[in-house]
Amino acid sequence: METPLVIVVTGANRGIGRAICAALAQQYPNPLILYAASRTGASLDLPNLAIPPTVSIRPAQVSLTDQASISAPSERIRNENKSCVVLINNAGLYYFQENITMAQCQETLDVNYRGTLNICQAFLPIMRKGGRIVNISSQSGQLKYFHPRLRARFLSPNLNLSKLDDLAEEYIRSADHYTATASGWPPLAYFTSKAALNSVTRILARENTKLLINCCCPGWVGTPLGAQAGQPPKSVEQGARIPLRLAIGEIEQISGRYWANDSVASVGYGKVQDW
Ligand SMILES: NC(=O)c1ccc[n+]([C@@H]2O[C@H](COP(=O)([O-])OP(=O)(O)OC[C@H]3O[C@@H](n4cnc5c(N)ncnc54)[C@H](OP(=O)(O)O)[C@@H]3O)[C@@H](O)[C@H]2O)c1
């Protein structure tokens, strides 16, 4: 049998991540080892799904605030002399209220931005040439929510990981002093975390030209996270469409870009958008 390719999905236990795993298990054209990573490390529960014998689904334990667990899956794959063809960074959290505690604000940045960057960095050395990284972002990360002065810093061609970290620290300091919105930051930590994730995508794509690294908004999707803002119009299967396209579909060698549909309700497969 052909050597199986390795795909890793974080936040695989529920929501969009679980739908991505279900689709990959059913549609992936080659023999596949699918690492379905979750905070508990439990096996992925996919009842009623006939998994083809060419697909092996393995659990992995990843908590994005714990560096040891962030490093473990890539070390395991390296120790098995394998490489990774696709990493889908789906795990994320959203405190959907303005008056969150500083701990929640810090956690939002730690998970959606810093932890996701850390797992990208753990995987970069074991990515297969031509492999893909998909970061699940959000329309909330669009720079229209930021003061033009901050927008220019996010969009600067000179932005690197160190300067991005400075921006994130600056946001945390102003949130701590209750001056974030007065200083031009958006009202919710989630927005800043996803703008930072979009920047991570752009910077890593520039630095890793043999890979395709993109981010996307899945739309407004019916999960506990999405339902905080009302009645989401999209199913998890529809929410998985853009991430799956960026992972295994036709994207014309595009890298470093943000993909979305024109509306968060649209069930299309996404296109490159400014953010
Ligand atoms: N739903 C939407 O409308 C929508 C819109 C835009 C973007 N997104 C993005 O889509 C992605 C998936 O969201 P979803 O709607 O499917 O949300 P969800 O159902 O709440 O699932 C979130 C997933 O992230 C995991 N997670 C949270 N914190 C984590 C941590 N510290 N370490 C590791 N895993 C962690 C959760 O694990 P546990 O089960 O252990 O908590 C869960 O698997 C997120 O990045 C979200 O920001 C969603």
Side-chain angles (χ1 to χ4, degrees), residues 10-18 37-40 62-66 69 89-94 107 110-112 116 135-140 190 194 197 216-228 232-234 236 264:
T10 66
N13 55 312
R14 61 187 169 97
I16 299 168
R18 186 165 174 276
S38 67
R39 268 199 283 199
T40 61
V62 172
S63 170
L64 287 174
T65 50
D66 170 24
S69 81
N89 289 312
N90 161 78
L93 64 84
Y94 190 178
E107 184 189 8
D110 284 349
V111 172
N112 295 350
T116 307
N135 294 324
I136 314 276
S137 184
S138 167
Q139 66 83 28
S140 305
Y190 183 75
K194 292 296 191 180
L197 181 57
C216 66
C217 175
W220 186 14
V221 181
T223 66
L225 187 152
Q228 296 180 103
K234 292 175 67 168
V236 288
V264 291

Side-chain angles (χ1 to χ4, degrees), residues 128-182:
R128 224 176 138 105
K129 190 176 165 195
R132 301 186 187 188
I133 297 178
V134 182
N135 294 324
I136 314 276
S137 184
S138 167
Q139 66 83 28
S140 305
Q142 290 177 93
L143 294 173
K144 66 181 181 189
Y145 300 115
F146 293 72
H147 188 281
R149 183 177 37 81
L150 292 167
R151 203 180 300 159
R153 289 172 67 193
F154 274 106
L155 287 178
S156 165
N158 298 323
L159 186 70
N160 56 25
L161 290 177
S162 159
K163 289 178 180 166
L164 179 58
D165 225 32
D166 292 344
L167 266 168
E169 285 303 319
E170 198 175 305
Y171 168 71
I172 292 285
R173 270 197 308 277
S174 25
D176 199 17
H177 291 97
Y178 302 99
T179 58
T181 42

